[in-house]
Amino acid sequence: MRTIQTEVLVIGGGATGMGVLADLALRGFKAVLVEKRDLTHGTTGRYHGLLHSGGRYVVKDPKAATECIEENVILRRIMPHCIEDTGGFFVVTPWDDPDFGDTFLQACDDTGVPSEEIDVAVMLREEPNLNAQMQRCFRVPDGSADSFLATQSVAELGRQHGAQVLNYHEVKNLIQDGDKIVGALCHDLVRDEDVTIYADITVNAAGAWAGKIAGTIGIEVNIMPGKGTMIAAAHRVVNTVVNRCKMPADGDIIVPAHTVAIIGTTDERVADPEHFAIEPWEVNLMMEEAAKLVPVWKETRMLRCWGGVRPLYQETKVADTRDVTRAYTLLDHETRDGVTGFITITGGKWTTFRQMAEVTVNRVCEKLGVERPCTTAETPVPNPFGHTGSYHYLGQRLAEVEKEKKFDALICECELVTRADVEHAITKGIAHTLDDVRRDIRLGMGPCQGGFCTYRAAGIWHELRDDPVEVTNVTLRDFLQERWKGLRPILWGQQLKQERLDELIYLSVLNADHLPGETASRLGPAMYEKGSIEDNPKAVT
Amino acid sequence: MTFNIWGAQTDIELMPHRPAEASLDECIKCNICVTACPVTAVTDLFPGPKYEGPQAARFRQGQQETPDYSVDYCSGCRVCNMVCPNGVRIAEMNARARATIVEQDKVPLKHKVRNNLIARPETLGKLGQPVYPISNFLLGSGFGRYFADLFFDIAPKAALPGYASEKFSKWAKKHEKPAQAQRKVVYFHGCSTEYYEPRVGKAAVHVLEANGFEVLIPPQNCCGLPLLSNGEFDAAQKYHESNIKKLIDYVKQGYVIVGTSTSCTLTLKEEAPELLSFYTDDAMLLAGNTFDFNEFLVHLLDAGELRTADLRPIPLTLAYHPPCQYRAHRIGFPALEVLDLIPELTIIKSEAACCGVGGTYGYKAEKYEISMEVGRPLFEFVHEVNGPVAVCDSETCRWHIAGATGVPNVHPVELLAAAYGYEVEGPLADVLR
Amino acid sequence: MANLKDVLVIGAGLAGLTAAWQAAGPDKKVQVLAKGWGATHWHSGCIDLLGYWPLDADAAVTNPLQAIAQLIQEKPQHPYALTGLDNIVAALSAFQDLCAEAGYPLEGTPEKNWLLPTAVGTFRPTCLAPQTMTAGDLSSDAAMLLVGFKQFVDFYPHVAADNLTQQGIPAEYVMLDLPALARQHRLTSVVLANMMEQAAFRQEVAQALKPKLGTAARVGFPAVLGLREATAVWQAMSDLLERPVFEIPTLPPSVAGIRLHHILRDAIQAEGGWVFDGMEAVGAEKDGGRVTAVFTETAARNRAHRAENYVLSTGGILGGGIYASYQGGVKEVVFDLPVNAPDNHLDWFHTDFMDKRGHPIYQTGISVNEQFQPVNGSEQPLLSNLFAAGTTLAHCEPIQERSFEGIALVTGYVAGRLAV
């Protein structure tokens, strides 16, 4: 069995864990991060990508609002390449109370979130697809963040300072030595073998899975997984983040992210962060609510649907998960549970990940009895896949392809992913599946959802990896199934037609359902539990 | 839903309009358009309709700098629209993307001036026609073309039309109206008929009169299409508004507009409102009551109102090239249906995608070679059919095909006028003599 | 009524073009209206008649005609049950004659499926295959060399070769990096096919390949060996390499499919028929149990088209003849004919993308009688002069069955003949 010795072990490859890892590395700690699947497998990779201005919380959770705007400013400075400066609107729709706008403005002032009311006509000039019946509109500095790229970039920062990132390493249990946690026993899913990692301090940043991690040594951390369902429209029906100006509720925000626009979200308690359903009512609700903001939404092609699980921590029970604070929680299990060498950081939002990391690493320093100042607020974050130093903008890839006339080398035509990008992600990164490649470079994330690029990427994969062909085969099938996972709940109209073309390609033309080897691997996707005949008790066939 | 051919329809229901870009959602990435695009087949400078259309459109944001200039190499032929099994309006997306480039002042000054020159046939006509002997001499001389190339990048070998000695509208004023017309119709002659080929207009008037119409020819402007296809949307809108003003009262009185230029009628019907997002009630009313000439004749034919009994035979075998604008009209090949009625006339339809000229595209020095390559299969076809003339509905295509093949080109209406027994002018007259 | 066509065909996929070809003749005016080009451009360019039956069988059907006889027993509403075996044999044979006359022979019989290699190296059952593909026959274990082009992103011979080798067909691969291709910014299958029609390029390919041929008894290319001149290109490559050469279908657009599209179009036009593309049928006028007009959408208005008889061949979900909207139900788009679709979205799909039973939504379509007239629930014809053909028909799963072209060709053949 492999054994790794380090100073700090971080569990969880989402924004928080990666932030902690990089912060540790920058402060000179030897640190290792383990993630059960690929980076951003959890909530970080499944949210709508909002860089909060804080506007959403100014009324309900002023503390969170202030944290958001502070971090918003910092992230724009240190990692602009992960951010699109879309700006944000808070709009009062015909269904909302116009007076709430005054409350909102006042609360923005109180919390330090910059805001201004703009004319509805100005709003419509900038965003002609918005409902022309809006009553009021306020502008705030919301943005759109690429949480995949951000996590990869922060990982790169950590690596540059000596940190180690191990994906597909699932924690089986923490290792306890008396009152002290000395590390964790992990399972390497790729090699299918166990790995022991010893550390002076273990940081539990497993998000919605944090309770499970703590539970392996009998510590109760009460995480209420709050599922949020989101749907992406196939193109940017809006270019500005659009929020309903009212108390936060289901389906009240549309975020333009890269080439799509995402409506979010619902908020439902689920028992298990890994296994949950996307319910038809959630899809319908998102469609209806989105149409209130953007009337053409229902005629717009839906690209994909997914669910993410918010890691909301609570000490006491509250029925409606939305009333739990979004502000994060740091649990020192030494003072809380009498167990040393173990802390849990949970809750929070993507926007505040850096601050959460800072607070966490401060505590690590304290526990190790050293004083090392945090520098993450001033340290630029590198981009392992391209440019740094300026905001991402929508036309960036188009401009890059145009500039070098790389038209022939497009593997994923929808998202303008070139052969060089794919080769880089397969050989230089830590991808173990095509889905990992997707997260790195947006392969297969456009309208055809892998219809054309899955075969191409599998071809390149096979060329570069030298795996037995059965591995390539199952990699291809896993990716098709993973794309199918997010399509099934929203398959109608144009996207259904697209899916049928994808079937024609993979069944009729390629006969890929008769590839040698396994039909699915252990690295393949876990399906949502609603959406098919098998889940429908009244099924007709 | 059926059209009443005898009068304008003034209660047109205004449909909700979505910009062409919204149709990108229909694209299933099948690349059928790429197999059909005649431009991408001959040049690497244009990466293809899917790329520039529904694909690139997802990366364009009006308020940001246009990232791709290769969209300017779209000739606007609309083969992509025609073959797309899902109704993506690729050519219109490209036209609007090009307009953004123009709006953002990203076109080199020399080309901007050039484009504004060649996209204003009305101005050129007004300037050049009155002094036609001089203008024709200059246009025909190597010297004049040398300077046009030097100063404006106008391809020295591109075929330019010659000015007519008499404007069509002047002839029309002198033309004696039939004594007993049952109905009236408005004729939109367009710039080419007015300044360069009045013979087409004369044939059109004859054909309409042969079918019992009195032909009204009100003052009119350039339709603005050349400006639209060069991305000069503001200037195009001025022309369009002026045409609406000049024509709308006729429509309101119950007359429909017919035109022999497939591009002018297309502009009035759809291109101007759609590309400019100019959906006023009058614009839509005019659109709904404007007809391509052959389309109008087929409506007459459908209604059993087209005079077909006494058509004289024309014993010729001719190549016919349906111009690209028909694809945008989406009315099929009405000229085929009309010419099919003429005894002993054999029309062989070209399967070539495009003649290459793309309106003003082929006049541009940087695109001339592309336009000739695009047209090559058509030119070969015209030579193969080996008729004394070739047939095409669109003026710029006729000039381009004639220039490239040496075979004179005529409008279908000229054949029909001849079949009705009218005297025709120009190349067809020479053939029938 | 003036300007009345004999037959109006809606849709220009394989079914529509076949129907028009069968219906057209010197005294029969046939017009095809099509929104755009269709499934011929997506599929393999072979005629799949029946590849898997029952659907979840692991082994491919060896004798499609025999398997269809069994299928007809089990699914009496299946389009093949309505055409009957004789029509299947006749349609295939007529199409083979047409293609042979066009100098592009399709090889095979309805009593045997070929097993041909795919671009991932699986064994694909198909009934009729162009001569340009049949040397890939996997009933022979002759060693093969598969050829890819570095700049062509739609074919990966390495995967195909390794999977074939794994399944007992010795296969090597080579990825060519030719100077002529390095100059291209965009290399599509059609661009490559056009280049293949130039002798100089073929020479360049052959020169690069000769040192790599090794023990290969045959050489496989992606299906790009010429567009209009495929047979000649294929022959020339075989001669240059001095061994059999074959094509392997790959991602759309399908060059081999486009060849069939050309052959049928030419055949229709040779019979005086018209194919009008870019015209979307959006509705119809019905009177007295008959169709009296079909409307197409044009700039600024709709246009009516009238004919004695009409053939509906607009395809299914993929072709666009059947549209499933958000909460709007499933509709046939031109005549608003009744379609049988599961009401509940949950009943549309199985859990697995590649579930061999096929997703039920894709069996949605039009029910017809043996005259291929759309019928209501009690089997009564709805419109006496309307015939439906191709994948717009219900009670079949053309992709899972691997019967996509077979159903299109055979029902198009029958409907076209019934419509005159």
Side-chain angles (χ1 to χ4, degrees):
Chain A
M1 187 163 59
R2 271 191 299 150
T3 301
I4 296 171
Q5 180 73 48
T6 186
E7 280 182 275
V8 185
L9 170 65
V10 182
I11 301 168
T16 311
M18 203 55 77
V20 169
L21 183 79
D23 196 333
L24 286 165
L26 282 170
R27 297 199 213 186
F29 291 106
K30 198 174 161 197
V32 173
L33 178 143
V34 290
E35 160 59 45
K36 65 187 283 201
R37 307 288 288 213
D38 192 35
L39 305 185
T40 74
H41 167 75
T43 315
T44 301
R46 297 160 196 247
Y47 94 120
H48 43 47
L50 173 66
L51 174 72
H52 280 276
S53 62
R56 282 179 73 76
Y57 303 125
V58 287
V59 176
K60 188 161 182 180
D61 192 347
K63 180 165 176 273
T66 304
E67 278 168 13
C68 282
I69 190 60
E70 286 167 5
E71 286 302 306
N72 178 307
V73 172
I74 293 170
L75 296 185
R76 283 168 182 264
R77 190 171 64 226
I78 61 171
M79 51 196 309
H81 65 276
C82 304
I83 290 165
E84 189 182 340
D85 184 21
T86 59
F89 289 155
F90 276 76
V91 291
V92 179
T93 72
W95 297 269
D96 305 327
D97 172 14
D99 291 342
F100 188 83
D102 301 327
T103 315
F104 172 80
L105 272 181
Q106 183 57 51
C108 283
D109 271 358
D110 295 346
T111 51
V113 175
S115 64
E116 59 161 341
E117 177 152 18
I118 63 168
D119 218 43
V120 170
V122 173
M123 174 201 83
L124 285 173
R125 210 159 38 238
E126 288 181 32
E127 291 298 346
N129 280 335
L130 283 182
N131 191 338
Q133 309 303 314
M134 296 295 185
Q135 307 185 68
R136 301 179 74 176
C137 179
F138 308 94
R139 195 195 295 279
V140 295
D142 281 342
S144 166
D146 183 333
S147 57
F148 303 125
L149 179 61
T151 306
Q152 287 286 4
S153 298
V154 175
E156 183 66 19
L157 177 65
R159 278 194 211 99
Q160 286 180 0
H161 291 84
Q164 193 181 359
V165 176
L166 301 172
N167 61 351
Y168 292 98
H169 280 60
E170 182 168 15
V171 171
K172 290 169 92 171
N173 56 269
L174 298 170
I175 304 170
Q176 199 166 4
D177 183 5
D179 289 342
K180 186 173 164 57
I181 301 299
V182 295
L185 174 65
C186 303
H187 185 74
D188 178 341
L189 260 82
V190 176
R191 295 202 184 89
D192 201 9
E193 64 183 28
D194 286 350
V195 182
T196 312
I197 303 176
Y198 293 109
D200 300 336
I201 292 197
T202 299
V203 178
N204 175 13
W209 288 260
K212 285 192 165 183
I213 299 291
T216 64
I217 46 156
I219 292 178
E220 195 192 341
V221 172
N222 194 6
I223 301 287
M224 268 182 4
K227 173 192 57 166
T229 294
M230 283 148 275
I231 303 177
H235 71 271
R236 294 252 294 232
V237 289
V238 290
N239 292 303
T240 309
V241 174
V242 180
N243 305 268
R244 285 276 281 276
C245 189
K246 60 171 190 175
M247 293 300 269
D250 286 349
D252 62 352
I253 181 167
I254 299 178
V255 182
H258 287 273
T259 48
V260 305
I262 301 163
I263 174 75
T265 88
T266 50
D267 194 351
E268 281 285 296
R269 269 190 91 150
V270 291
D272 182 334
E274 191 77 40
H275 301 282
F276 55 86
I278 286 184
E279 307 273 355
W281 71 260
E282 293 180 278
V283 172
N284 290 337
L285 184 72
M286 288 302 109
M287 295 299 291
E288 298 300 325
E289 292 302 301
K292 289 179 181 169
L293 293 166
V294 175
V296 296
W297 187 276
K298 286 189 201 169
E299 287 100 70
T300 305
R301 174 170 172 179
M302 292 301 116
L303 184 91
R304 194 173 173 82
C305 177
W306 67 95
V309 177
R310 299 178 186 88
L312 300 186
Y313 170 75
Q314 66 165 164
E315 286 291 3
T316 53
K317 277 197 161 171
V318 178
D320 179 357
T321 57
R322 206 176 309 273
D323 289 331
V324 177
T325 175
R326 253 82 171 167
Y328 53 83
T329 308
L330 181 70
L331 301 177
D332 186 337
H333 296 289
E334 187 174 351
T335 49
R336 184 179 182 261
D337 307 294
V339 174
T340 62
F342 184 45
I343 53 183
T344 294
I345 174 75
T346 187
K349 286 164 289 296
W350 183 85
T351 305
T352 57
F353 81 88
R354 192 211 60 83
Q355 198 180 94
M356 292 162 70
E358 178 175 348
V359 171
T360 307
V361 179
N362 287 348
R363 184 63 60 93
V364 171
C365 289
E366 217 173 275
K367 297 184 96 51
L368 295 176
V370 294
E371 207 170 301
R372 298 179 190 174
C374 175
T375 57
T376 53
E378 290 82 39
T379 310
V381 177
N383 178 2
F385 299 101
H387 85 287
T388 52
S390 59
Y391 286 128
H392 174 83
Y393 74 100
L394 180 60
Q396 197 160 305
R397 282 192 172 178
L398 194 60
E400 282 163 11
V401 172
E402 170 88 10
K403 193 168 157 221
E404 293 176 35
K405 300 242 180 295
K406 293 188 287 191
F407 310 125
D408 67 326
L410 291 175
I411 300 302
C412 166
E413 296 175 57
C414 300
E415 290 295 318
L416 302 178
V417 178
T418 65
R419 189 187 177 101
D421 296 334
V422 176
E423 288 178 354
H424 184 267
I426 290 175
T427 56
K428 301 283 186 334
I430 49 172
H432 292 289
T433 68
L434 285 179
D435 196 39
D436 301 347
V437 173
R438 168 186 74 81
R439 276 185 216 94
D440 290 347
I441 54 178
R442 299 186 61 75
L443 178 87
M445 290 180 74
C448 89
Q449 288 285 296
F452 286 77
C453 65
T454 304
Y455 170 60
R456 294 172 182 161
I460 297 170
W461 178 281
H462 191 62
E463 232 168 273
L464 298 175
R465 279 283 161 122
D466 222 24
D467 286 330
V469 74
E470 291 86 348
V471 174
T472 301
N473 293 348
V474 81
T475 300
L476 179 144
R477 294 192 57 156
D478 277 352
F479 190 56
L480 290 171
Q481 179 70 4
E482 194 282 333
R483 294 287 84 192
W484 170 250
K485 170 186 179 179
L487 282 163
R488 204 179 45 168
I490 49 88
L491 277 184
W492 58 74
Q494 302 101 332
Q495 200 65 332
L496 184 63
K497 197 187 260 191
Q498 178 76 61
E499 188 60 28
R500 189 62 165 162
L501 179 66
D502 297 356
E503 271 198 16
L504 179 139
I505 292 171
Y506 289 94
L507 303 185
S508 271
V509 178
L510 296 178
N511 211 24
D513 51 342
H514 293 84
L515 278 168
E518 298 296 318
T519 57
S521 81
R522 61 181 181 278
L523 305 185
M527 298 299 284
Y528 298 122
E529 285 161 4
K530 278 251 168 64
S532 66
I533 296 168
E534 285 75 7
D535 310 314
N536 185 10
K538 299 192 297 276
V540 287
T541 51
Chain B
M1 281 221 271
T2 28
F3 169 69
N4 166 23
I5 198 63
W6 295 118
Q9 212 179 335
T10 48
D11 58 344
I12 285 175
E13 193 187 334
L14 287 179
M15 302 292 282
H17 302 289
R18 295 190 70 187
E21 290 83 354
S23 71
L24 71 89
D25 275 352
E26 305 296 330
C27 177
I28 59 169
K29 313 287 162 181
C30 74
N31 279 317
I32 279 183
C33 56
V34 183
T35 70
C37 174
V39 177
T40 199
V42 301
T43 177
D44 266 356
L45 296 170
F46 185 61
K50 188 191 78 164
Y51 180 91
E52 286 298 354
Q55 198 162 292
R58 295 178 71 240
F59 291 85
R60 295 196 188 108
Q61 209 236 78
Q63 289 150 23
Q64 292 173 351
E65 188 175 320
T66 300
D68 58 323
Y69 305 114
S70 47
V71 69
D72 189 42
Y73 278 89
C74 169
S75 75
C77 74
R78 297 186 189 77
V79 169
C80 46
N81 288 21
M82 177 185 78
V83 302
C84 175
N86 293 304
V88 184
R89 304 182 64 87
I90 305 170
E92 287 77 11
M93 273 183 218
N94 290 353
R96 286 167 62 106
R98 181 187 286 125
T100 312
I101 297 177
V102 173
E103 196 179 283
Q104 294 178 347
D105 274 337
K106 294 288 189 283
V107 181
L109 184 66
K110 187 177 182 182
H111 289 175
K112 172 114 182 149
V113 173
R114 187 261 325 266
N115 294 353
N116 268 283
L117 189 69
I118 58 178
R120 290 173 197 271
E122 184 179 323
T123 312
L124 292 175
K126 278 180 181 157
L127 290 174
Q129 191 276 329
V131 290
Y132 69 93
I134 303 168
S135 352
N136 285 349
F137 171 76
L138 281 176
L139 289 178
S141 77
F143 185 71
R145 296 303 295 270
Y146 172 80
F147 280 102
D149 183 24
L150 186 68
F151 293 125
F152 301 121
D153 273 355
I154 293 174
K157 285 192 273 180
L160 298 179
Y163 290 105
S165 54
E166 183 188 50
K167 286 198 295 186
F168 169 71
S169 53
K170 201 164 170 194
W171 172 85
K173 273 197 193 104
K174 295 185 295 191
H175 174 67
E176 205 170 307
K177 297 207 159 137
Q180 288 182 322
Q182 305 146 282
R183 307 282 171 188
K184 293 181 189 176
V185 65
V186 175
Y187 176 55
F188 192 90
H189 49 67
C191 302
S192 65
T193 296
E194 176 72 348
Y195 300 110
Y196 305 107
E197 294 181 334
R199 62 169 214 264
V200 174
K202 294 175 196 174
V205 169
H206 292 319
V207 166
L208 290 169
E209 288 177 354
N211 283 284
F213 286 94
E214 181 189 334
V215 183
L216 308 173
I217 304 170
Q220 49 191 271
N221 288 108
C222 172
C223 66
L225 184 72
L227 288 164
L228 286 173
S229 56
N230 279 284
E232 298 285 350
F233 279 16
D234 291 344
Q237 181 153 337
K238 287 198 185 99
Y239 276 126
H240 188 56
E241 286 179 36
S242 168
N243 275 325
I244 293 172
K245 208 177 279 173
K246 287 173 175 160
L247 298 171
I248 197 67
D249 284 343
Y250 290 91
V251 174
K252 288 180 177 165
Q253 287 167 46
Y255 308 129
V256 300
I257 319 284
V258 299
T260 39
S261 165
T262 43
S263 51
C264 301
T265 49
L266 176 66
T267 308
L268 300 181
K269 277 166 79 171
E270 187 171 78
E271 289 283 278
E274 182 166 68
L275 294 183
L276 302 168
S277 298
F278 189 74
Y279 295 114
T280 63
D281 288 0
D282 281 353
M284 297 321 290
L285 190 58
L286 179 64
N289 288 290
T290 300
F291 291 80
D292 163 67
F293 202 84
N294 291 312
E295 178 191 17
F296 184 70
L297 296 183
V298 169
H299 276 294
L300 290 177
L301 182 66
D302 283 350
E305 301 279 359
L306 188 71
R307 185 177 132 197
T308 57
D310 56 348
L311 287 165
R312 297 181 188 182
I314 300 181
L316 292 174
T317 295
L318 304 177
Y320 169 65
H321 174 63
C324 294
Q325 295 97 8
Y326 268 143
R327 301 199 182 101
H329 281 277
R330 306 188 292 285
I331 49 179
F333 308 112
L336 282 186
E337 296 177 72
V338 170
L339 296 178
D340 205 36
L341 302 167
I342 300 176
E344 295 179 37
L345 176 65
T346 305
I347 291 290
I348 307 181
K349 178 176 141 310
S350 117
E351 291 292 306
C354 176
C355 75
V357 78
T360 55
Y361 188 90
Y363 293 121
K364 302 175 182 176
E366 73 278 13
K367 289 164 183 143
Y368 173 75
E369 291 300 332
I370 297 174
S371 85
M372 293 302 283
E373 269 305 301
V374 166
R376 185 187 301 277
L378 173 61
F379 308 149
E380 282 167 8
F381 167 78
V382 168
H383 284 307
E384 243 168 63
V385 175
N386 199 23
V389 294
V391 187
C392 180
D393 316 68
S394 165
E395 53 276 3
T396 49
C397 307
R398 284 198 294 274
W399 303 333
H400 189 65
I401 299 166
T405 61
V407 179
N409 273 241
V410 300
H411 189 287
V413 74
E414 298 181 66
L415 287 160
L416 196 59
Y420 278 134
Y422 291 99
E423 206 168 298
V424 290
E425 300 172 14
L428 189 60
D430 299 340
V431 172
L432 296 177
R433 195 166 288 140
Chain C
M1 178 62 66
N3 203 19
L4 191 70
K5 307 289 186 296
D6 290 293
V7 179
L8 191 73
V9 177
I10 311 160
L14 192 57
L17 292 181
T18 303
W21 159 55
Q22 283 300 306
D27 51 353
K28 291 292 172 193
K29 194 70 193 171
V30 173
Q31 186 175 351
V32 180
L33 299 178
K35 185 173 179 181
W37 294 348
T40 42
H41 288 58
W42 298 328
H43 208 261
S44 63
C46 299
I47 305 297
D48 288 4
L49 191 58
L50 185 66
Y52 292 97
W53 191 263
L55 283 182
D56 55 0
D58 281 330
V61 165
T62 51
N63 179 340
L65 208 57
Q66 203 176 53
I68 289 171
Q70 182 199 338
L71 174 152
I72 290 174
Q73 296 295 316
E74 293 167 31
K75 290 195 79 172
Q77 289 178 297
H78 192 283
Y80 284 152
L82 303 177
T83 62
L85 297 181
D86 291 350
N87 274 320
I88 294 173
V89 173
L92 261 57
S93 155
F95 191 60
Q96 279 179 296
D97 290 348
L98 176 72
C99 291
E101 278 164 33
Y104 183 69
L106 293 183
E107 298 180 333
T109 86
E111 276 146 3
K112 182 184 151 281
N113 264 337
W114 297 95
L115 285 175
L116 298 178
T118 68
V120 287
T122 46
F123 290 40
R124 184 175 63 93
T126 189
C127 182
L128 303 184
Q131 192 182 28
T132 58
M133 292 187 188
T134 51
D137 182 10
L138 297 173
S139 67
S140 148
D141 63 1
M144 51 174 73
L145 176 72
L146 303 184
V147 183
F149 299 91
K150 187 171 168 251
Q151 291 79 6
F152 180 56
V153 297
D154 287 346
F155 188 67
Y156 296 86
H158 191 173
V159 183
D162 284 3
N163 270 319
L164 287 167
T165 304
Q166 204 270 0
Q167 296 171 97
I169 310 289
E172 298 285 333
Y173 80 99
V174 58
M175 204 62 151
L176 295 180
D177 185 4
L178 302 174
L181 299 183
R183 288 192 294 272
Q184 292 281 330
H185 287 315
R186 187 84 178 92
L187 194 64
T188 65
S189 55
V190 171
V191 171
L192 202 46
N194 284 327
M195 291 180 81
M196 275 290 180
E197 293 189 349
Q198 301 158 15
F201 181 68
R202 289 197 297 269
Q203 276 291 348
E204 192 179 335
V205 173
Q207 286 307 323
L209 275 180
K210 273 184 183 156
K212 321 234 169 177
L213 287 170
T215 58
R218 44 185 170 167
V219 181
F221 288 89
V224 295
L225 298 182
L227 194 56
R228 290 277 183 180
E229 311 289 336
T231 302
V233 171
W234 166 79
Q235 190 62 58
M237 280 318 295
S238 307
D239 292 348
L240 282 169
L241 299 174
E242 297 168 337
R243 64 208 73 203
V245 157
F246 60 94
E247 296 182 301
I248 301 174
T250 186
L251 296 183
S254 160
V255 168
I258 296 172
R259 295 173 195 148
L260 298 182
H261 176 88
H262 286 160
I263 289 170
L264 277 166
R265 256 182 116 97
D266 291 349
I268 294 163
Q269 284 170 357
E271 295 290 346
W274 286 334
V275 184
F276 286 13
D277 306 297
M279 299 183 75
E280 182 183 3
V282 292
E285 182 184 84
K286 306 163 201 171
D287 190 27
R290 290 173 62 82
V291 180
T292 51
V294 163
F295 299 105
T296 59
E297 185 266 356
T298 81
R301 67 187 71 86
N302 289 339
R303 177 181 168 186
H305 306 263
R306 298 178 196 280
E308 284 291 343
N309 291 318
Y310 299 81
V311 176
L312 177 70
S313 47
T314 44
I317 296 268
L318 175 55
I322 308 287
Y323 193 81
S325 59
Y326 165 65
Q327 288 185 328
V330 182
K331 281 195 153 43
E332 185 283 308
V333 300
V334 182
F335 298 96
D336 200 12
L337 296 168
V339 287
N340 297 319
D343 288 338
N344 191 333
H345 196 263
L346 289 180
D347 297 333
W348 287 13
F349 307 108
H350 292 291
T351 302
D352 286 345
F353 173 60
M354 289 192 185
D355 194 304
K356 287 187 177 171
R357 292 165 294 181
H359 304 295
I361 185 61
Y362 298 130
Q363 301 228 12
T364 296
I366 305 304
S367 296
V368 292
N369 60 17
E370 285 187 6
Q371 302 301 303
F372 282 82
Q373 294 162 309
V375 292
N376 60 18
S378 43
E379 300 294 308
Q380 295 307 305
L382 291 159
L383 295 158
S384 60
N385 61 342
L386 177 65
F387 306 86
T391 49
T392 200
L393 299 175
H395 313 296
C396 57
E397 220 302 5
I399 288 178
Q400 291 289 344
E401 291 167 5
R402 311 310 204 261
S403 60
F404 203 82
E405 292 84 3
I407 288 176
L409 181 71
V410 177
T411 59
Y413 174 87
V414 174
R417 295 167 83 87
L418 286 167
V420 283

